Amino acid sequence: MSKRIDIRGVIYNSILPLRFIENKNTHAIWKCKCLKCHKAVYVSYINIVTGNTKSCASCGQRKLSIKEAKEIYKKKQNNISVIALAKEYNVERSTIYRTLKNMKMQKK
Ligand SMILES: [Zn+2]
Protein backbone atom coordinates (compact mmCIF):
# COMPACT_ATOMS: atom_id res chain seq x y z
CA MET A 1 0.00 0.00 0.00
CA SER A 2 1.42 3.34 -0.98
CA LYS A 3 1.64 6.12 1.54
CA ARG A 4 -1.53 8.07 1.97
CA ILE A 5 -1.34 11.64 0.73
CA ASP A 6 -2.90 14.18 3.02
CA ILE A 7 -5.18 16.46 1.03
CA ARG A 8 -7.17 17.70 4.01
CA GLY A 9 -8.21 21.33 3.58
CA VAL A 10 -6.97 21.55 -0.01
CA ILE A 11 -9.76 22.76 -2.28
CA TYR A 12 -10.15 21.00 -5.63
CA ASN A 13 -12.80 22.65 -7.78
CA SER A 14 -15.83 22.60 -5.42
CA ILE A 15 -14.54 19.75 -3.27
CA LEU A 16 -13.03 20.36 0.15
CA PRO A 17 -11.53 17.17 1.66
CA LEU A 18 -12.28 17.01 5.39
CA ARG A 19 -10.92 13.66 6.52
CA PHE A 20 -9.71 10.32 5.31
CA ILE A 21 -12.28 7.57 5.84
CA GLU A 22 -10.93 4.27 4.52
CA ASN A 23 -9.14 2.44 1.78
CA LYS A 24 -11.58 0.76 -0.56
CA ASN A 25 -10.06 -1.51 -3.24
CA THR A 26 -6.80 0.49 -3.01
CA HIS A 27 -8.72 3.76 -3.36
CA ALA A 28 -8.48 6.19 -0.49
CA ILE A 29 -11.97 7.45 0.29
CA TRP A 30 -12.28 10.94 1.73
CA LYS A 31 -15.15 12.64 3.40
CA CYS A 32 -15.44 15.97 1.65
CA LYS A 33 -17.67 18.98 1.63
CA CYS A 34 -19.27 20.16 -1.57
CA LEU A 35 -18.64 23.90 -1.58
CA LYS A 36 -21.65 24.56 -3.78
CA CYS A 37 -24.30 23.12 -1.45
CA HIS A 38 -22.25 22.36 1.71
CA LYS A 39 -23.39 18.75 1.73
CA ALA A 40 -21.05 15.96 2.78
CA VAL A 41 -19.82 13.80 -0.05
CA TYR A 42 -17.52 10.75 -0.14
CA VAL A 43 -15.01 10.80 -2.96
CA SER A 44 -11.93 8.75 -3.75
CA TYR A 45 -8.58 10.51 -3.69
CA ILE A 46 -7.98 9.87 -7.37
CA ASN A 47 -11.30 11.39 -8.41
CA ILE A 48 -10.62 14.45 -6.29
CA VAL A 49 -7.14 15.24 -7.55
CA THR A 50 -7.84 14.43 -11.20
CA GLY A 51 -10.93 16.67 -11.15
CA ASN A 52 -13.11 13.76 -12.18
CA THR A 53 -15.40 14.71 -9.32
CA LYS A 54 -15.76 18.46 -9.07
CA SER A 55 -18.68 18.67 -6.64
CA CYS A 56 -21.36 16.44 -5.15
CA ALA A 57 -23.41 14.42 -7.62
CA SER A 58 -26.43 16.73 -7.62
CA CYS A 59 -24.37 19.92 -8.08
CA GLY A 60 -22.23 18.22 -10.74
CA GLN A 61 -25.22 17.31 -12.83
CA ARG A 62 -25.75 20.50 -14.70
CA LYS A 63 -28.54 19.84 -17.16
CA LEU A 64 -27.78 20.57 -20.77
CA SER A 65 -30.31 22.32 -22.94
CA ILE A 66 -31.62 20.57 -26.05
CA LYS A 67 -29.66 23.07 -28.13
CA GLU A 68 -26.46 22.21 -26.27
CA ALA A 69 -27.17 18.48 -26.56
CA LYS A 70 -27.53 18.85 -30.33
CA GLU A 71 -24.29 20.84 -30.53
CA ILE A 72 -22.48 18.20 -28.49
CA TYR A 73 -23.81 15.42 -30.69
CA LYS A 74 -22.67 17.26 -33.81
CA LYS A 75 -19.24 18.02 -32.36
CA LYS A 76 -18.77 14.39 -31.33
CA GLN A 77 -19.51 13.38 -34.95
CA ASN A 78 -16.65 15.72 -35.88
CA ASN A 79 -14.35 13.77 -33.58
CA ILE A 80 -14.22 16.22 -30.70
CA SER A 81 -13.32 14.16 -27.62
CA VAL A 82 -15.66 13.69 -24.68
CA ILE A 83 -12.98 15.18 -22.40
CA ALA A 84 -12.85 18.35 -24.51
CA LEU A 85 -16.65 18.55 -24.63
CA ALA A 86 -16.97 18.13 -20.86
CA LYS A 87 -14.50 20.97 -20.40
CA GLU A 88 -16.21 23.20 -22.96
CA TYR A 89 -19.69 22.75 -21.49
CA ASN A 90 -18.50 22.57 -17.88
CA VAL A 91 -20.18 19.27 -17.08
CA GLU A 92 -19.04 15.86 -15.90
CA ARG A 93 -17.91 13.41 -18.55
CA SER A 94 -20.76 11.11 -17.55
CA THR A 95 -23.21 13.88 -18.51
CA ILE A 96 -21.69 14.01 -21.99
CA TYR A 97 -21.92 10.23 -22.36
CA ARG A 98 -25.54 10.29 -21.21
CA THR A 99 -26.36 13.12 -23.61
CA LEU A 100 -24.78 11.30 -26.55
CA LYS A 101 -26.66 8.12 -25.68
CA ASN A 102 -29.97 9.99 -25.52
CA MET A 103 -29.31 11.75 -28.81
CA LYS A 104 -28.46 8.46 -30.50
CA MET A 105 -31.72 6.95 -29.30
CA GLN A 106 -33.68 9.88 -30.68
CA LYS A 107 -32.03 9.59 -34.09
CA LYS A 108 -33.11 5.96 -34.50
ZN1 LIG B 1 -23.26 19.98 -3.95
Side-chain angles (χ1 to χ4, degrees), residues 34 36-39 55-56 58-59:
C34 169
K36 287 183 181 169
C37 66
H38 302 282
K39 262 192 278 189
S55 60
C56 76
S58 49
C59 289

Side-chain angles (χ1 to χ4, degrees), residues 55-70:
S55 60
C56 76
S58 49
C59 289
Q61 279 177 5
R62 187 174 86 79
K63 290 262 193 293
L64 291 161
S65 68
I66 293 168
K67 188 175 157 261
E68 286 175 317
K70 280 181 182 161

Side-chain angles (χ1 to χ4, degrees), residues 5-38:
I5 300 151
D6 194 3
I7 50 170
R8 195 169 23 170
V10 183
I11 296 171
Y12 294 87
N13 301 291
S14 294
I15 293 283
L16 172 66
L18 298 175
R19 85 189 152 90
F20 169 78
I21 301 293
E22 60 173 342
N23 275 312
K24 214 179 197 176
N25 308 324
T26 75
H27 288 295
I29 305 297
W30 283 76
K31 182 181 181 179
C32 307
K33 188 160 99 174
C34 169
L35 296 176
K36 287 183 181 169
C37 66
H38 302 282

Side-chain angles (χ1 to χ4, degrees), residues 70-108:
K70 280 181 182 161
E71 279 173 18
I72 288 168
Y73 188 76
K74 225 178 246 173
K75 282 180 184 172
K76 191 69 184 59
Q77 307 292 90
N78 292 323
N79 287 321
I80 310 267
S81 74
V82 167
I83 295 168
L85 287 167
K87 219 176 229 173
E88 187 180 340
Y89 289 89
N90 192 28
V91 291
E92 304 277 325
R93 267 174 247 173
S94 58
T95 306
I96 298 286
Y97 283 119
R98 208 173 332 111
T99 303
L100 291 170
K101 216 172 132 193
N102 290 343
M103 291 300 288
K104 248 177 230 163
M105 284 195 294
Q106 282 171 27
K107 297 267 149 135
K108 268 179 193 163

